[in-house]
Amino acid sequence: MWYTLFVGKKARPLPRSGAQSETLGQQGKRVPAIFYRTEAGREPLREWLKGLPAEDRKRIGEDIKTVEFGWPIGMPACRPLGNGIHEVRTSLAQNRIARVLFYIDKRGRMVLIHGFIKKTQKTPDEDLKLARSNKNKHERGQQ
């Protein structure tokens, strides 16, 4: 089957492969989100999310989606932390705060590199260090 996506006033046909569903799912996203994957094939952020209650996962997912469709976006949804790393800011029930750290790779994707529940006003140094390390490993893997 042939499908047509409308981008502005111009239409473009989709390829006849399994990429159709992927392309249709990406429609309107300025930066599609992907999970950082270790060399061993683990996705630490996905594993962290799976350990959270369903309501927390839903709220975090909605905020990630907001960034995907609205990039570039600023406060209160998103904030730069330096060195190309940004945070998605999510308010959870019971006055808890979640942060998902990401960067935009050279392919224009939102790479989700680390997540945590904030317990202090300042982003902990060990979380920033881990995010920088994951970013560097991901960038080296793209060469």
Side-chain angles (χ1 to χ4, degrees), residues 14-52:
L14 291 177
R16 290 183 184 229
S17 68
Q20 288 177 347
S21 59
E22 181 182 342
T23 305
L24 287 173
Q26 302 298 327
Q27 185 177 5
K29 289 184 181 180
R30 293 187 175 191
V31 289
I34 63 166
F35 288 92
Y36 161 74
R37 183 174 289 163
T38 65
E39 289 180 9
R42 289 184 51 242
E43 294 177 332
L45 184 70
R46 186 186 304 265
E47 294 167 11
W48 174 75
L49 285 169
K50 285 181 177 181
L52 296 175

Side-chain angles (χ1 to χ4, degrees), residues 31 71 84 86 102-111 139:
V31 289
W71 185 258
H86 303 268
F102 71 94
Y103 85 101
I104 305 298
D105 71 2
K106 64 183 179 184
R107 296 181 189 169
R109 301 174 301 182
M110 176 184 185
V111 182
E139 286 176 327

Side-chain angles (χ1 to χ4, degrees), residues 39-97:
E39 289 180 9
R42 289 184 51 242
E43 294 177 332
L45 184 70
R46 186 186 304 265
E47 294 167 11
W48 174 75
L49 285 169
K50 285 181 177 181
L52 296 175
E55 181 60 33
D56 292 352
R57 286 194 309 265
K58 182 178 178 186
R59 286 186 184 192
I60 293 169
E62 287 170 353
D63 289 337
I64 290 170
K65 183 177 165 184
T66 298
V67 176
E68 283 183 294
F69 282 90
W71 185 258
I73 191 169
M75 293 286 280
C78 186
R79 183 172 75 102
L81 298 177
N83 296 330
I85 297 175
H86 303 268
E87 66 178 3
V88 177
R89 306 160 54 87
T90 303
S91 296
L92 303 173
Q94 302 161 347
N95 288 330
R96 293 175 303 129
I97 299 169

Side-chain angles (χ1 to χ4, degrees), residues 36 81-86 101-103 113-114 122-140:
Y36 161 74
L81 298 177
N83 296 330
I85 297 175
H86 303 268
L101 306 184
F102 71 94
Y103 85 101
I113 52 180
H114 183 57
K122 186 175 181 267
T123 301
D125 288 335
E126 60 270 12
D127 288 303
L128 277 174
K129 184 177 179 181
L130 180 59
R132 279 190 219 108
S133 172
N134 289 349
K135 175 182 182 248
N136 291 337
K137 288 175 189 173
H138 187 264
E139 286 176 327
R140 282 195 305 269

